[in-house]
Amino acid sequence: MIRQPIDKIDGMAAVMGKPMYVDDLKPEHCLFVKVLRSPHAYAEVLHINAEKALALPGVACVLTHEDVPQKPMTFAAEASPEGSPHDRTVLERIVRFVDEPVAVVAAETEAIAEQALGLIDVTYRVMEPNLDFETAIDNGNPIYTKEQVFNHWDVWDNGNDFAINRCARKHRTFGDIQKTLAECDIVMEGTFRAPAQAHAMMETHRAFCYKDMRGKLVIYSSAQSIFHVQRLVTEGLGLPPNSVRVIKPKVGGAFGGKNSIFIEPLVALVTHKTGRPAVLNLTRQECFTSTNTRHAFRCTVKLGADREGVIKGIDVDMLTNAGAHGEHSFDVLQVACNNTLPIYGKVEALHFWGQAAYTNTVPAGAFRGFGGPQSTFSIEGAVSDLAYHLKMDPCELRLKNIIHENEKHPFVAGEVIRSCSLDRMILRGKEMIGWDAKYPCRRVDDHTIRAVGMSIAMHGSGIWGLDSVNATVNFNYDGCFTLFVGACDLGTGGDTVLLQIASETLGVPVERINIVVSDSDVTPYDKGAYASSTTYVTGNAVKIACEDVRKKMFEAAAKLYERPAEDFAIDADFVRTKDGALQIPILTFAETICRFIGVTQLVGVGGWKCPVSPPPYAAGFVELDVDTQTGAIKLLDYVELVDCGTVINPKLARIQAEGGVAQGIGYTLYEDVHYNQKGKMLTDSLIQYRIPTEMDLPRIQTEFIESYEPSGPYGAKSMGEVVFHTPAAAIREAVLHATGVHINTLPITPEKVLMGILENESKGGELPC
């Protein structure tokens, strides 16, 4: 089953509109929950008068900060102890961004709940907000006090300093960067920026809750991590640990945005207080303004090299916007450093200094590849500038400097790269895009220049030393198997891939394996779908569990038929001895085990904790046209080469790659979060906030250049995040080749391109072609 392009196991049901998602499954007679949100970017709630709302017929309750513990927590649904500071509560007394929840209303209908919101009177003490992350640190206007933030200082020194508005800090160094740069023939320096990015997943945040017959709160949520949602809800509401059960049905996209608990505590609170089922579906506007975004950033890169283009040193100074709360900000800086810098493996010195600033804007959080896209755009931008300065083919420059298989790097977990096809990917990408015939540019007509550009990227597979997951597999009385995993398929096909790994290991068709997923009362612990971990981390646990149950099947056969275990072979239909003397149908074998005295049901158990985090790699190549009269960019062709180790399912992998490229193109050319002067988000709909449509995308070609990762299941690594990273730098490089304009701020809009062309002309410069 490895390398087989089978369909998603739930694909047909999804396209036929079968009830699968949270809102399809909610109980009848639910209370509808609506949220009263702050109109201020920074204010203290002095008083809430809900008498008129409570008097409205059909209103079941109005709940405020007085109804929940005010012990600081984090909304980041990640492994505990978290690197994220604990700096918020389920409902806040001090609100720190526009649209932060102030109160919740539960009513018999949505219309009544909406009407009740307008009847709640809130008195605020408005304070001066920090809205610019580039000036927020140490500006004398902190938005937290010491009592309002808690850190796991005994485990994580995340660098949080509330007194200066610093949410997180990351500092890492190798060699003497100042000495190395001073000795270089060439030092390229550039400052790169990008605004926040909204997730814009198809299914908005949704959850419902009810009490089961034993009084346990049961939450259905479109979540990325059921066990962390369970833990955080109980912490946030002050409930016993085993009082909440979380179930994830099908998820309509997440991209990291559902790795935080924005709504689950609210529906649980309503059900806990009223005993009634409760449902909350965020509107599209609420998803924009009250959940989280990608971290906006500013990054200055100094890159030193000799005249032959050998890179000697890289110095990165990154500042990101954490927004009003700190979930995942420390992780973003970790990834920006450790998951990107090792791609250039021959350097003599590295230096990374990163900070995340608190501001009174929508909190930033997990978003596909978090930290990786920001760092890759900046470092690859500097590499493009170096190649342009040296008049060197950027493919050749990269080939001269990249890391290779079996090479060491101090920033890599385990230090040695055990799987890497990056050099082959670059050479194959050149062929697919027609690089040698098209580089750097050519004129199409009097106002159109066609150019090519490329970039490379790396990421990680799970979080080394931290990610720990489990899987179990039962051999059933009917001769089939049931696989239990707590992993969260977000529409990526993760469940299908895990079944393929189980099928390969057990030696039976996928159809003979049932899969039970994402139920905190039924499935074993899994940390969830983040950090590119389902195939690599959970896949390893599944493989170990299946090997364990096969071993137990051999032992049971030996006990039943009084032959050594090594004499037996097991396939989809029979348990047989290798000499052919004994052949038992698998169903008979299963039924015999169930009846045999002293033999219990055979259950395989597998656990995996990441000893390393093997990097996947990507190389992106783009061909585009630039209209020199308007600055308009038209993408013609995009080639994405991916090294994710062994490709378990080529069909699903191709979809991941194409989707990542499309999302990366949106980040590069279109998406831009804007606020007004009072901190209110202006781009709060899919009209104001533009994501690319099919009409905006070029032909996207993908190809997988396999390596073999020894620590992965059947040689596999991850790929979900790395495929996002290449478009920004590749498109920037192609625009540079076409116009000579260095555009260091995303999105790359026609206005920026045209202004750059006009500025170059005013200085006597000419177009390259």
Side-chain angles (χ1 to χ4, degrees):
M1 290 307 299
I2 303 303
R3 299 190 180 90
Q4 296 304 308
I6 69 172
D7 293 337
K8 288 183 185 179
I9 58 172
D10 58 357
M12 186 56 68
V15 299
M16 292 180 68
K18 301 293 184 182
M20 304 170 68
Y21 297 90
V22 169
D23 200 48
D24 299 325
L25 305 174
K26 67 178 181 292
E28 294 183 1
H29 310 301
C30 274
L31 292 173
F32 290 88
V33 179
K34 290 293 181 179
V35 183
L36 181 69
R37 301 186 180 279
S38 169
H40 306 292
Y42 189 24
E44 181 182 5
V45 177
L46 299 178
H47 179 66
I48 300 176
N49 186 339
E51 291 181 2
K52 292 180 181 179
L54 288 168
L56 185 67
V59 172
C61 66
V62 177
L63 303 171
T64 71
H65 66 269
E66 296 180 352
D67 297 290
V68 295
Q70 290 298 293
K71 178 183 176 182
M73 62 179 297
T74 177
F75 280 13
E78 58 184 351
S80 179
E82 311 90 351
S84 300
H86 290 205
D87 57 14
R88 66 194 306 177
T89 59
V90 171
L91 290 169
E92 299 280 7
R93 184 181 61 83
I94 297 177
V95 289
R96 293 181 173 86
F97 67 98
V98 174
D99 276 2
E100 181 148 34
V102 174
V104 295
V105 171
E108 300 295 339
T109 68
E110 284 189 89
I112 294 173
E114 286 280 7
Q115 184 181 355
L117 291 181
L119 298 176
I120 300 173
D121 183 38
V122 183
T123 303
Y124 296 95
R125 181 175 68 87
V126 180
M127 295 176 277
E128 182 68 25
N130 289 303
L131 300 177
D132 181 0
F133 76 98
E134 295 195 36
T135 61
I137 290 184
D138 204 15
N139 67 355
N141 183 26
I143 66 175
Y144 285 95
T145 65
K146 182 177 181 179
E147 294 74 25
Q148 294 163 344
V149 181
F150 170 76
N151 295 279
H152 287 286
W153 291 114
D154 54 331
V155 179
W156 297 105
D157 180 6
N158 62 15
N160 174 275
D161 189 341
F162 63 90
I164 64 170
N165 280 328
R166 186 167 69 200
C167 173
R169 176 203 62 223
K170 171 70 176 179
H171 185 219
R172 192 167 187 185
T173 188
F174 164 70
D176 188 335
I177 189 64
Q178 298 302 327
K179 180 175 181 293
T180 298
L181 291 179
E183 294 173 351
C184 286
D185 297 324
I186 302 161
V187 176
M188 304 300 300
E189 180 175 350
T191 297
F192 300 83
R193 291 178 170 85
Q197 182 186 22
H199 296 87
M201 70 288 284
M202 288 190 294
E203 179 198 33
T204 62
H205 292 254
R206 293 164 183 234
F208 67 79
C209 181
Y210 65 89
K211 282 189 176 183
D212 67 12
M213 64 186 71
R214 299 172 60 191
K216 176 177 282 193
L217 295 173
V218 181
I219 301 172
Y220 276 69
S221 170
S222 56
Q224 294 186 223
S225 177
I226 56 170
F227 290 98
H228 298 323
V229 169
Q230 177 194 45
R231 172 177 54 85
L232 292 174
V233 168
T234 57
E235 288 181 6
L237 300 183
L239 300 175
N242 195 37
S243 61
V244 172
R245 175 185 181 187
V246 179
I247 300 171
K248 177 208 72 72
K250 187 169 177 61
V251 175
F255 311 120
K258 294 174 180 175
N259 203 34
S260 297
I261 56 159
F262 302 112
I263 62 174
E264 292 84 356
L266 302 181
V267 292
L269 177 63
V270 169
T271 298
H272 178 61
K273 295 290 187 179
T274 67
R276 296 273 305 277
V279 62
L280 173 55
N281 296 334
L282 293 192
T283 65
R284 179 64 63 185
Q285 184 182 45
E286 286 177 307
C287 274
F288 276 109
T289 65
S290 66
T291 59
N292 58 25
T293 68
R294 186 184 295 283
H295 287 68
F297 80 98
R298 181 196 70 202
C299 184
T300 299
V301 177
K302 295 179 183 177
L303 188 148
D306 64 20
R307 291 186 179 86
E308 285 69 47
V310 177
I311 299 172
K312 302 290 188 179
I314 304 174
D315 186 2
V316 177
D317 184 340
M318 178 175 283
L319 176 66
T320 69
N321 183 8
H325 301 291
E327 48 258 19
H328 297 110
S329 287
F330 178 63
D331 310 305
V332 164
L333 296 175
Q334 289 268 78
V335 169
C337 175
N338 299 339
N339 286 15
T340 60
L341 284 167
I343 201 164
Y344 293 107
K346 297 175 174 59
V347 295
E348 298 172 3
L350 293 172
H351 178 256
F352 182 92
W353 170 250
Q355 298 183 93
Y358 279 124
T359 63
N360 296 108
T361 59
V362 173
F367 198 139
R368 193 176 200 165
F370 57 12
Q374 295 95 320
S375 186
T376 297
F377 174 61
S378 305
I379 294 169
E380 285 295 283
V383 172
S384 296
D385 291 349
L386 175 63
Y388 194 78
H389 176 79
L390 293 172
K391 297 181 172 58
M392 180 183 292
D393 185 324
C395 293
E396 298 306 314
L397 188 146
R398 289 178 171 94
L399 284 168
K400 184 177 289 191
N401 289 283
I402 57 172
I403 199 162
H404 294 82
E405 203 162 88
N406 296 320
E407 291 184 346
K408 292 185 176 182
H409 195 285
F411 285 16
V412 170
E415 292 197 346
V416 178
I417 298 294
R418 298 298 186 190
S419 57
C420 178
S421 65
L422 188 54
D423 51 351
R424 290 184 283 137
M425 291 162 58
I426 294 174
L427 295 174
R428 177 59 180 149
K430 288 181 63 178
E431 292 178 9
M432 293 177 68
I433 203 74
W435 183 273
D436 289 340
K438 299 173 180 177
Y439 166 76
C441 63
R442 61 197 187 281
R443 184 168 284 277
V444 177
D445 55 38
D446 64 345
H447 61 88
T448 306
I449 296 177
R450 185 164 295 170
V452 291
M454 62 90 62
S455 72
I456 57 176
M458 63 176 287
H459 201 74
S461 302
I463 305 173
W464 72 275
L466 184 62
D467 279 357
S468 177
V469 305
N470 297 274
T472 59
V473 58
N474 293 358
F475 179 52
N476 301 325
Y477 74 95
D478 58 2
C480 295
F481 297 84
T482 302
L483 174 64
F484 296 86
V485 289
C488 293
D489 186 335
L490 308 177
T492 57
D495 292 347
T496 306
V497 168
L498 296 178
L499 275 177
Q500 288 182 257
I501 292 170
S503 172
E504 181 74 13
T505 311
L506 293 170
V508 302
V510 165
E511 293 75 20
R512 294 278 294 278
I513 309 171
N514 306 304
I515 185 168
V516 179
V517 299
S518 309
D519 183 333
S520 62
D521 268 13
V522 176
T523 54
Y525 173 79
D526 191 293
K527 59 93 176 183
Y530 61 89
S532 294
S533 58
T534 300
T535 297
Y536 176 71
V537 183
T538 307
N540 265 316
V542 167
K543 184 172 183 289
I544 293 167
C546 292
E547 290 169 343
D548 186 43
V549 80
R550 274 184 68 85
K551 178 184 175 184
K552 291 175 179 176
M553 290 171 71
F554 285 122
E555 293 171 348
K559 188 171 184 179
L560 282 169
Y561 305 113
E562 298 180 343
R563 298 279 294 266
E566 57 268 21
D567 284 358
F568 288 92
I570 299 174
D571 59 30
D573 300 309
F574 295 98
V575 175
R576 56 166 63 91
T577 54
K578 294 176 182 177
D579 60 10
L582 191 65
Q583 181 169 287
I584 306 100
I586 196 77
L587 179 58
T588 301
F589 177 61
E591 292 174 339
T592 304
I593 288 175
C594 290
R595 295 195 305 267
F596 189 72
I597 298 174
V599 178
T600 59
Q601 180 173 13
L602 303 182
V603 179
V605 178
W608 177 261
K609 185 172 184 177
C610 283
V612 292
S613 179
Y617 297 92
F621 293 77
V622 67
E623 182 179 15
L624 54 77
D625 284 346
V626 175
D627 187 324
T628 58
Q629 293 180 351
T630 66
I633 298 169
K634 181 180 180 180
L635 303 184
L636 304 174
D637 202 0
Y638 200 95
V639 170
E640 183 83 341
L641 289 302
V642 184
D643 167 18
C644 56
T646 300
V647 182
I648 303 295
N649 187 317
K651 180 184 291 188
L652 300 184
R654 177 177 59 81
I655 293 168
Q656 281 277 353
E658 291 176 351
V661 168
Q663 199 170 35
I665 288 171
Y667 183 55
T668 306
L669 296 179
Y670 305 112
E671 300 181 47
D672 198 352
V673 173
H674 287 287
Y675 295 88
N676 68 14
Q677 293 180 344
K678 294 185 177 180
K680 178 178 174 56
M681 185 184 288
L682 300 175
T683 48
D684 60 359
S685 78
L686 290 174
I687 296 175
Q688 286 84 15
Y689 185 84
R690 187 183 172 197
I691 61 174
T693 69
E694 184 71 19
M695 299 298 292
D696 299 307
L697 298 174
R699 177 178 69 159
I700 299 174
Q701 303 179 69
T702 61
E703 193 166 302
F704 298 92
I705 309 298
E706 288 192 354
S707 61
Y708 187 89
E709 173 51 46
S711 68
Y714 299 104
K717 300 185 285 191
S718 73
M719 66 166 292
E721 294 178 278
V722 72
V723 292
F724 181 97
H725 296 355
T726 61
I731 292 170
R732 177 191 181 272
E733 183 174 278
V735 171
L736 174 61
H737 291 162
T739 65
V741 176
H742 301 257
I743 298 180
N744 291 358
T745 301
L746 298 179
I748 301 174
T749 61
E751 292 82 0
K752 292 174 186 175
V753 175
L754 183 59
M755 292 301 293
I757 292 172
L758 295 175
E759 184 178 353
N760 278 355
E761 288 179 353
S762 70
K763 297 177 181 178
E766 297 181 352
L767 292 168
C769 295

